[in-house]
Amino acid sequence: MNKMQKALRELAEMDELAAQNSIIHRLCPTAKLLATVLYIAVVLSFGKYQLSGLAVLLLWPVLLFQLSGIPVHICFYKLRIVLPLVLAVGLFNPFFDRAILLRLGPLAVSGGFISMLTLMLKGLLCLMASFLLMATTNFDSLCASLRKLHIPGMLVTLLLLTYRYVGVMTEELAVMTEAYSLRAPGQKGLQVSAWGSFLGQLLLRSMDRAQELYASMLLRGYHEHFHYAPMKPFGPGDVVYLALSALFFLVLRFVPAAQLLGNLLLR
Amino acid sequence: MIQFQNVSFAYEPDRPVLQNLSFRIAPGESVGLIGANGAGKSTLMKLLLGLRQGEGRILVDGTELNKASLSEIRRKLGYVLQNSDNQMFMPTVYEDMMFAPLNYGLSREEAERRVDAVLERLGLEDLKHRHNHKLSGGEKRMAAIATILAMEPEAVLMDEPSSALDPYNRRIVINTIRSLPQTKLIASHDLDMILDTCDRVLLMSKGQLVADGPTEEILSDRALLEANRMELPFCLAGRTK
Ligand SMILES: Nc1ncnc2c1ncn2[C@@H]1O[C@H](COP(=O)(O)OP(=O)(O)O)[C@@H](O)[C@H]1O
Ligand SMILES: [Mg+2]
């Protein structure tokens, strides 16, 4: 397997992290799901120059890493192939938005630069929050809680199967790139001219396997809906967790904490 | 238990893959389905499972296979796929084994009891909470068989159950197959395994049934096997005509 496949594979393998046991792991998946959605909504609601306000929201994932016992480096390690993509999103902002927004001594900081950092930070925070959700919650029970929230069963099953098929796709990809590199020694990566047929093959092969997998489900009595493992009920602990998280987000959203802190320090 | 009456099938028009097959398998029989690559063994199984439709009649326990009887018939047949990776789709062996019983309406407790009983019978208790993608080839095959047994099928169909296994794991799989009380239909070109596990053999060639008889008799007929692109089983090669 080459580096990229290994990275993809590891990203898909969250089950073991999710099987650990901590305060956060023990929470009801629905509470965690709602808190994460709320967090992402709050993160996205910040304006494009509100970098300092946004930065304080970093506290939540940091806290969750602490409480769940999931090492931060695993997060960055697993996200190493998606992270650059997310960070690249704002890369061109400095070229478009050249108005000077801030002077730090002799340094003039343009609006584009600030908005680039804001976008990157937003991407990073959302990724971390999603990672933490996946790393502390078994994917099946996450799907079960989506069902509880009345998301249509078809959609949820599709999500679950997509998650499962990522593994299938990466395996096919591994076999194919290996076969390719054996016949193209000394060549780095895949020649552009071969991309089309390569992608087509990958799709066909994954589809073949997906079809077999689906047949194997049907042959074992699968009929439209999944029988998810019973979920932990929504208990008092979950209420507290959700309420505290929500309060935390709202305070950080509407109280300019960074500014207050800055004023306090400068005084 | 299983009956084929003049069954024919083609994936593409003008290229018949199965031609006018007729045979019947009695309850409790162990039947080996042999033939060279491309003879149509896997296709025959797919027809029996209703994954493909051909011409002719297929009956299971006297019921004809059609849309209405499909789910009832599938419930009686446990199919072990050639590639175990395509069989198991849940994260752990345990969850995979629970899948069928839950679909068939068992409660979690009943299903789990069933899963534990199967694992104990096969001596696979250690695999219960293992992750599917981290199993070795031999463990995967055994887990796939366990998954099917948890359905409590009346007949077990296996497609190349010994392929890609080392001798040690192959022996474990063979012993397991021998210990199954169900009706068995086993497709393979591993004739030594067929000799060890089946009383009767159906020999296919290019979609046709060319021989049907006791295992020893067919597998020691060098002329017949070679005419159909097969070789005598290793352990019989020394002592026959
Ligand atoms: N999905 C398919 N589409 C078209 N032809 C197929 C398909 N699957 C198998 N075949 C063809 O059908 C024939 C029988 O295949 P198969 O039943 O897999 O043989 P066996 O299992 O005995 O090796 C082969 O010639 C094969 O090329
Ligand atoms: Mg085959």
Side-chain angles (χ1 to χ4, degrees):
Chain A
M1 267 206 261
N2 72 21
K3 269 194 224 139
M4 210 231 330
Q5 292 139 16
K6 199 157 159 277
L8 268 173
R9 179 108 228 198
E10 278 161 1
L11 183 59
E13 286 169 7
M14 292 281 209
D15 300 320
E16 274 156 76
L17 287 178
Q20 291 175 3
N21 196 2
S22 74
I23 306 187
I24 303 295
H25 284 85
R26 283 193 295 272
L27 287 169
C28 166
T30 313
K32 284 184 275 187
L33 181 67
L34 290 175
T36 307
V37 170
L38 193 63
Y39 178 77
I40 290 176
V42 170
V43 165
L44 295 180
S45 76
F46 275 86
K48 63 177 179 174
Y49 299 134
Q50 293 179 297
L51 184 58
S52 57
L54 191 61
V56 186
L57 276 180
L58 198 59
L59 275 173
W60 194 63
V62 168
L63 210 64
L64 284 191
F65 276 118
Q66 284 301 318
L67 290 175
S68 63
I70 302 225
V72 183
H73 67 87
I74 290 198
C75 169
F76 287 99
Y77 183 72
K78 288 214 177 218
L79 292 178
R80 69 190 181 280
I81 51 163
V82 264
L83 211 51
L85 296 177
V86 170
L87 295 185
V89 170
L91 226 48
F92 293 104
N93 283 24
F95 300 101
F96 296 124
D97 183 356
R98 289 158 179 271
I100 304 299
L101 207 70
L102 188 73
R103 285 187 188 279
L104 290 175
L107 217 67
V109 182
S110 74
F113 191 70
I114 300 281
S115 67
M116 174 185 81
L117 290 183
T118 311
L119 255 179
M120 285 179 170
L121 189 58
K122 278 187 182 177
L124 181 68
L125 292 179
C126 292
L127 267 184
M128 287 210 293
S130 319
F131 172 85
L132 277 163
L133 177 64
M134 300 273 289
T136 57
T137 318
N138 166 291
F139 199 80
D140 283 37
S141 49
L142 212 54
C143 288
S145 73
L146 283 172
R147 284 293 294 138
K148 275 253 164 74
L149 296 171
H150 299 286
I151 309 288
M154 254 307 270
L155 226 65
V156 177
T157 304
L158 202 68
L159 190 69
L160 184 67
L161 294 185
T162 310
Y163 180 69
R164 296 258 186 279
Y165 288 154
V166 169
V168 172
M169 291 266 279
T170 48
E171 266 164 43
E172 290 300 331
L173 191 66
V175 173
M176 283 175 60
T177 38
E178 199 159 336
Y180 181 90
S181 60
L182 283 175
R183 281 178 292 161
Q187 187 179 314
K188 255 202 148 176
L190 192 64
Q191 235 163 38
V192 180
S193 60
W195 282 12
S197 56
F198 198 84
L199 208 67
Q201 270 293 316
L202 178 64
L203 268 180
L204 280 180
R205 294 172 64 139
S206 327
M207 256 159 61
D208 268 355
R209 286 196 57 186
Q211 235 164 34
E212 276 228 322
L213 270 170
Y214 187 61
S216 139
M217 290 171 66
L218 287 180
L219 293 176
R220 285 193 271 156
Y222 173 74
H223 186 73
E224 280 171 21
H225 64 278
F226 245 84
H227 294 267
Y228 298 105
M231 224 182 358
K232 294 168 203 118
F234 202 87
D238 300 301
V239 178
V240 172
Y241 169 76
L242 198 54
L244 279 182
S245 304
L247 189 71
F248 189 61
F249 302 157
L250 293 180
V251 167
L252 293 185
R253 178 68 186 89
F254 296 109
V255 179
Q259 225 166 325
L260 289 181
L261 204 69
N263 291 347
L264 212 69
L265 289 179
L266 287 178
R267 197 175 297 160
Chain B
M1 163 100 210
I2 296 169
Q3 198 176 347
F4 273 53
Q5 294 178 353
N6 309 100
V7 174
S8 300
F9 175 77
Y11 286 102
E12 299 149 22
D14 312 327
R15 263 196 67 221
V17 172
L18 298 181
Q19 298 180 52
N20 206 23
L21 295 180
S22 298
F23 61 88
R24 79 169 49 223
I25 297 174
E29 239 184 331
S30 294
V31 178
L33 186 60
I34 65 173
N37 276 329
K41 307 180 293 291
S42 303
T43 306
L44 185 152
M45 292 204 167
K46 286 187 179 137
L47 256 69
L48 175 55
L49 292 158
L51 294 171
R52 301 273 181 178
Q53 273 96 45
E55 288 157 41
R57 278 160 43 102
I58 297 175
L59 294 94
V60 175
D61 273 347
T63 311
E64 181 167 356
L65 177 70
N66 54 32
K67 264 222 164 76
S69 64
L70 187 62
S71 60
E72 181 200 331
I73 285 181
R74 279 182 176 170
R75 187 174 180 155
K76 296 181 180 172
L77 306 176
Y79 176 46
V80 181
L81 275 71
Q82 176 165 7
N83 184 346
S84 310
D85 283 327
N86 293 355
Q87 171 124 37
M88 322 271 285
F89 48 86
M90 300 293 273
T92 64
V93 174
Y94 162 72
E95 286 163 281
D96 224 295
M97 290 180 71
M98 294 284 281
F99 184 75
L102 290 178
N103 280 331
Y104 288 127
L106 263 66
S107 72
R108 281 211 161 248
E109 294 74 50
E110 290 169 317
E112 178 146 11
R113 235 174 289 136
R114 204 189 256 194
V115 165
D116 285 336
V118 171
L119 286 173
E120 194 192 321
R121 198 162 78 65
L122 300 183
L124 299 177
E125 292 97 330
D126 295 346
L127 293 189
K128 184 170 176 184
H129 293 293
R130 294 272 298 279
H131 281 258
N132 280 331
H133 63 262
K134 295 211 168 149
L135 299 178
S136 73
E139 289 168 335
K140 245 181 221 168
R141 189 66 49 89
M142 287 304 290
I145 294 174
T147 294
I148 292 310
L149 294 182
M151 282 175 69
E152 300 195 340
E154 288 172 27
V156 180
L157 317 180
M158 297 192 179
D159 200 346
E160 315 270 2
S162 64
S163 69
L165 292 184
D166 62 29
Y168 175 76
N169 283 299
R170 178 174 165 276
R171 181 46 56 189
I172 292 179
V173 168
I174 290 176
N175 290 340
T176 304
I177 296 175
R178 284 169 64 110
S179 75
L180 299 180
Q182 284 95 339
T183 309
K184 284 166 271 184
L185 180 62
I186 300 168
S188 185
H189 39 227
D190 177 354
L191 299 187
D192 286 284
M193 178 201 55
I194 295 291
L195 196 62
D196 271 353
T197 52
C198 300
D199 323 318
R200 178 180 153 202
V201 161
L202 301 176
L203 171 57
M204 286 182 72
S205 178
K206 297 181 186 136
Q208 284 169 319
L209 202 57
V210 290
D212 175 355
T215 309
E216 287 259 355
E217 196 175 292
I218 291 186
L219 295 193
S220 56
D221 190 337
R222 184 188 295 261
L224 177 67
L225 291 178
E226 283 177 0
N228 294 292
R229 295 198 287 147
M230 315 263 293
E231 281 182 0
L232 283 183
F234 193 63
C235 62
L236 292 185
R239 58 168 156 110
T240 45
K241 27 190 166 166

